[in-house]
Amino acid sequence: MNNTPLSPHPLSHLSDVHSRVLSTAQLRAHGVSPARITAQCRPGGPWQPLLPGVYLLHPGAATSEERLHGALLYAGRPVIPAQGDRPDTPRFGEAMVTGLAALALHGFSSAPALLSLDRIDILVPRTRRLRSTGCARIVRAHSLPRPDEITGLPVAPVPRAVADAVAELTDANAVRRLLTEAVRGGHCEPGAVVTELNRARLLSRTHVVDAVDSLLAEGRSLAEDRLYEMVRLHGLPDPVWNVDLRLPGGPHLGGVDAYWPEQSVAVELDTRAPRHDEDALWSEYARKREHLERLGITVVHITPKKLRESLEQQATVVRTALMAAGDRDPAAYVVVLPR
């Protein structure tokens, strides 16, 4: 029988925040009985309930760090309490911080400070039987993303956190600021955000659609700047920028972002955003590419993500296409017009 003194002292070997916020299962593992928990949490006592089954082991208000840990402990506690302290069981189960709290942890200046949030959104599997209570708001998902780790906490990736935040916002300006910072701050690509907004069925909301249009324009502008930078930094010959291609006296072939007429090489930025018409958009891209390549024009597709993460590699791809031009049959003559 465990006769460890029933006080917070046996918990002193734990790290700071872990010794201040503990679940019922963790307290029992340290020899603290349910009766002692109740006694410690009486009015004026040294402990207080933070959430169901989660306790703050000091009087006074909880810090933002303690609220985060408490919300995760509440939402992530294992279904079978006896498994809670197995070494291979994640401390917070599958739960992760999402929404505005997650964006604050990711460093978003447009997200409110953690202490100002009345509730902390916690993402859990749809099968978890939990209710929102206190400072924890439960957000359910059919499939969970792989969390990022920030200050030792599991945090939803930016695209998912943005979608969960936007789901609760009605202020169009607030939505626009979050989406813009996600892209301009280099946290993620526009397409990733739009994918999550679409999955959450938020693209039917007018203020969200308006913000998405601004987001896509922002993302394209940044991608174009990186494309200019790639050509300049890596010594590629200057192309003609943003042009339309046509057959002489014939049909319009489509627009490209950069074109080298002598080598018949085109670069097209793939800034498609996944929406309900994604298949139709992709078919249009594929048809244009196939048509141009039948005419002997090499089309290099580059995504904004590749430009951001591997600029030198993309420059090598374009340079290789330019150098290979001399080994190909001459391309059909096309008219190049500004667009």
Side-chain angles (χ1 to χ4, degrees):
M1 181 173 179
N2 192 334
N3 293 315
T4 304
L6 302 179
S7 74
H9 298 297
L11 313 175
S12 60
H13 69 283
L14 298 176
S15 63
D16 193 24
V17 72
H18 293 174
S19 68
R20 302 194 307 263
V21 182
L22 290 172
S23 68
T24 301
Q26 290 170 326
L27 287 168
R28 286 178 180 172
H30 288 279
V32 183
S33 68
R36 183 60 177 170
I37 294 173
T38 300
Q40 294 286 88
C41 291
R42 286 174 182 159
W47 297 357
Q48 56 184 308
L50 181 62
L51 288 160
V54 179
Y55 301 91
L56 188 63
L57 273 58
H58 67 75
T63 66
S64 57
E65 186 181 22
E66 289 167 346
R67 293 170 79 233
L68 285 167
H69 276 76
L72 283 166
L73 280 175
Y74 167 69
R77 66 180 188 271
V79 177
I80 304 173
Q83 295 179 346
D85 291 297
R86 280 173 41 185
D88 59 342
T89 301
R91 174 174 171 79
F92 303 116
E94 295 180 274
M96 66 189 79
V97 183
T98 190
L100 289 173
L103 296 179
L105 289 169
H106 279 291
F108 272 57
S109 61
S110 55
L114 285 169
L115 270 177
S116 70
L117 294 174
D118 293 330
R119 287 197 166 188
I120 295 165
D121 292 343
I122 303 294
L123 189 63
V124 300
R126 186 167 290 276
T127 53
R128 290 289 281 120
R129 299 182 64 183
L130 285 171
R131 61 183 178 86
S132 298
T133 185
C135 66
R137 190 179 79 88
I138 301 302
V139 181
R140 292 179 173 81
H142 285 292
S143 60
L144 296 178
R146 181 185 296 274
D148 297 327
E149 185 174 310
I150 303 176
T151 65
L153 300 177
V155 180
V158 167
R160 176 67 204 227
V162 167
D164 289 333
V166 167
E168 298 300 308
L169 294 174
T170 56
D171 184 329
N173 290 328
V175 171
R176 190 185 304 272
R177 284 194 297 269
L178 287 179
L179 268 58
T180 298
E181 184 171 357
V183 174
R184 189 178 295 171
H187 295 283
C188 61
E189 299 301 331
V193 177
V194 178
T195 296
E196 291 294 347
L197 292 173
N198 185 38
R199 187 174 293 152
R201 300 179 181 177
L202 296 172
L203 294 181
S204 59
R205 302 182 185 182
T206 302
H207 69 285
V208 176
V209 172
D210 291 344
V212 164
D213 289 341
S214 296
L215 173 76
L216 296 179
E218 176 84 16
R220 169 160 276 280
S221 176
L222 286 173
E224 288 174 347
D225 288 345
R226 291 188 187 120
L227 186 59
Y228 300 148
E229 181 183 12
M230 181 191 77
V231 170
R232 178 178 59 82
L233 288 181
H234 296 282
L236 297 173
D238 288 332
V240 288
W241 298 102
N242 295 316
V243 294
D244 275 323
L245 304 180
R246 292 179 181 272
L247 287 172
H252 173 243
L253 299 172
V256 294
D257 295 283
Y259 186 61
W260 288 263
E262 291 185 11
Q263 294 87 359
S264 299
V265 172
V267 165
E268 186 164 28
L269 289 173
D270 186 355
T271 56
R272 291 173 300 121
R275 298 202 199 186
H276 296 297
D277 56 353
E278 180 181 6
D279 291 342
L281 276 172
W282 174 243
S283 296
E284 181 182 336
Y285 268 70
R287 280 195 300 271
K288 179 169 69 174
R289 180 174 187 169
E290 290 170 3
H291 194 177
L292 290 174
E293 291 188 340
R294 280 199 302 270
L295 296 171
I297 296 170
T298 299
V299 181
V300 179
H301 265 74
I302 301 179
T303 65
K305 183 178 182 180
K306 288 179 179 178
L307 281 175
R308 179 164 61 90
E309 297 179 354
S310 56
L311 198 66
E312 183 176 358
Q313 182 181 355
Q314 302 315 303
T316 300
V317 171
V318 174
R319 182 179 287 109
T320 300
L322 294 172
M323 292 173 63
D327 299 329
R328 301 194 310 265
D329 293 333
Y333 177 76
V334 296
V335 178
V336 180
L337 299 170
R339 62 170 176 172

